[in-house]
Amino acid sequence: KENKKRKHTEEVEKASEDQSSSAIQEPPTKAKKARKKELSKAEKKLANRESALEQADEEEEQKLLQNKAKQKKGASHAITKSVVNSDTGTTVKQQKKRKAADETVNRRTVFVGNLPVNCTVQVLKSLFKEYGQIKSIRLRSLVPAEDTLSKKLAAIKHKVHPNAKFINAYVVFKEECDAIKALKENGTEIASGFHIRVDIASKANSHDNKRSVFLGNLSYDISDDAVREHFSVCGGVVAVRIVRDRQTGLGKGFGYVLFENTDAVHLALKLNDSVLMGRKIRVKRCGEKWKAPQKSPNQSHAPRDRVDTTLKNKTCSKDSFVGEKAIPLKKSTKPKRPKTIPRNETGKNK
């Protein structure tokens, strides 16, 4: 029994020794593993730094190449055309295409001026449908009765300002030739006291200055027909254009009259300073600068005489001023001599 107990105790001691030795040996292995892990992390950091530096160098090289390419593009005129506009977000080519498209539409569009306020789209359709297919009709220059209403809403609800008497319109045809045919309606009386003005809306359509006169100092509430009647004695009036404010519809005090021939222009110039609606209007050729009326010769000579007298007075004053200054200078030199020191010293010695 004792032998068995001894064996058992020896086995227990061996087992405890083995466990302690294993426990002592385990930490170094874990430490070695941790060190290996730490080394691998440091290596990874170094590798990452090296790769980041390489990427930065590559990015810098790419930026330099891009800048050089941009400079080359800016130098070439063909590439500058395709530059995108920052405000609109469209290229110059796209803008040119839009302008060209708008110009083609304007050639098919007819401007109709001096229409009565109660004119409707149906009335204009019935007037222009015989010339060709109409795509759209837009009423313009309409003054709403209230500030809160928009022009479109005012046209739908027929709420127009009571002082407004005239509106304009744009009639868009399908074909350009139809719009040219519609110019025959220019000068027709669509209502009592309303002779309409029909013209192509294209900017390319230049105004003939040789057959036109400029009007100034017009009444703000003047009508186109009043001007037409005033200048009808000079010859055939093709069109009257009174420049008006978009918001109020009132005239700005000036306008234009287009005649059938240049002879009527010579007669119209004689109506300068003639009275129209209680105002002396100014009439001159288009393109000429307005010269202010010159003063009468009596008034012009008077200020010249005054200028001469002032100049004479100035010359006299200058002479007297110089003489007055010269006299005290001579006096100032004389009293300095008796104040000299040598004379006093000689008197003392005596």
Side-chain angles (χ1 to χ4, degrees):
K1 288 179 181 179
E2 289 177 357
N3 291 328
K4 285 181 181 179
K5 285 180 181 180
R6 285 177 184 174
K7 285 180 182 180
H8 183 68
T9 52
E10 286 176 359
E11 286 176 358
V12 171
E13 285 176 357
K14 282 180 181 180
S16 62
E17 285 177 0
D18 293 334
Q19 284 177 0
S20 62
S21 64
S22 63
I24 293 163
Q25 287 176 0
E26 277 177 2
T29 54
K30 285 182 181 179
K32 285 179 182 178
K33 286 179 182 178
R35 283 177 187 174
K36 284 180 181 178
K37 285 180 182 178
E38 285 176 1
L39 289 169
S40 63
K41 283 180 182 179
E43 287 173 357
K44 282 179 182 178
K45 283 180 181 179
L46 287 168
N48 290 329
R49 284 178 184 176
E50 288 176 356
S51 63
L53 290 168
E54 286 175 359
Q55 285 178 359
D57 292 334
E58 287 177 359
E59 285 176 359
E60 284 181 359
E61 287 178 359
Q62 286 178 358
K63 282 180 181 179
L64 288 169
L65 292 169
Q66 285 176 0
N67 290 329
K68 286 180 181 178
K70 282 180 181 178
Q71 287 175 0
K72 287 179 182 178
K73 286 179 181 179
S76 61
H77 179 69
I79 297 167
T80 51
K81 287 184 179 178
S82 63
V83 175
V84 178
N85 190 358
S86 60
D87 297 330
T88 57
T90 57
T91 61
V92 176
K93 287 181 180 178
Q94 289 176 353
Q95 288 177 0
K96 284 184 177 179
K97 283 180 182 179
R98 284 182 184 178
K99 283 181 181 178
D102 292 340
E103 186 61 27
T104 53
V105 172
N106 289 335
R107 287 174 185 172
R108 296 185 285 107
T109 305
V110 167
F111 172 81
V112 186
N114 196 33
L115 290 167
V117 177
N118 56 2
C119 183
T120 59
V121 175
Q122 292 176 355
V123 173
L124 291 171
K125 272 186 181 178
S126 62
L127 182 65
F128 289 101
K129 67 181 180 181
E130 59 178 327
Y131 298 106
Q133 187 178 350
I134 297 169
K135 291 194 77 176
S136 64
I137 294 173
R138 305 188 302 271
L139 297 174
R140 291 290 181 270
S141 307
L142 195 141
V143 182
E146 300 172 1
D147 295 334
T148 54
L149 286 173
S150 64
K151 291 183 178 181
K152 191 174 181 180
L153 236 165
I156 293 165
K157 293 184 177 181
H158 300 286
K159 290 185 178 181
V160 186
H161 199 275
N163 294 332
K165 297 176 183 178
F166 319 98
I167 59 169
N168 302 319
Y170 288 96
V171 182
V172 183
F173 287 91
K174 190 176 180 180
E175 301 293 336
E176 187 178 340
C177 58
D178 298 336
I180 294 165
K181 290 176 187 176
L183 297 177
K184 294 177 183 178
E185 293 295 332
N186 182 39
T188 56
E189 193 174 4
I190 194 170
S192 60
F194 288 93
H195 291 80
I196 61 172
R197 179 168 63 92
V198 184
D199 194 9
I200 299 291
S202 176
K203 291 179 181 178
N205 188 22
S206 59
H207 187 73
D208 191 359
N209 290 332
K210 292 180 180 179
R211 295 187 293 118
S212 305
V213 291
F214 171 82
L215 308 178
N217 198 31
L218 295 172
S219 178
Y220 296 121
D221 57 348
I222 197 168
S223 64
D224 292 8
D225 277 25
V227 176
R228 185 184 286 271
E229 288 176 7
H230 189 73
F231 287 93
S232 60
V233 294
C234 303
V237 178
V238 176
V240 176
R241 184 194 168 199
I242 305 297
V243 180
R244 303 183 184 279
D245 186 42
R246 291 182 180 180
Q247 300 296 327
T248 60
L250 293 171
K252 291 186 176 181
F254 64 95
Y256 303 90
V257 180
L258 177 65
F259 294 99
E260 290 178 357
N261 50 38
T262 55
D263 295 333
V265 174
H266 295 292
L267 297 171
L269 293 171
K270 293 180 180 179
L271 292 176
N272 184 35
D273 289 335
S274 61
V275 179
L276 178 60
M277 292 185 69
R279 282 175 171 265
K280 281 187 178 182
I281 61 170
R282 297 195 303 268
V283 185
K284 69 179 186 68
R285 292 180 183 274
C286 286
E288 287 184 0
K289 291 183 179 180
W290 180 258
K291 293 180 181 179
Q294 294 181 355
K295 294 180 180 180
S296 61
N298 294 326
Q299 291 179 351
S300 62
H301 283 305
R304 284 181 186 175
D305 295 336
R306 288 176 188 172
V307 171
D308 294 336
T309 53
T310 52
L311 287 170
K312 286 176 184 178
N313 292 328
K314 282 182 181 178
T315 53
C316 294
S317 63
K318 281 181 180 179
D319 294 334
S320 61
F321 184 74
V322 171
E324 287 171 3
K325 211 168 187 182
I327 292 161
L329 285 171
K330 288 177 182 178
K331 288 179 180 178
S332 63
T333 53
K334 287 177 181 178
K336 286 181 181 178
R337 289 177 183 176
K339 290 181 181 179
T340 54
I341 297 164
R343 288 181 182 180
N344 296 328
E345 287 177 356
T346 53
K348 286 179 182 178
N349 292 326
K350 285 178 181 179

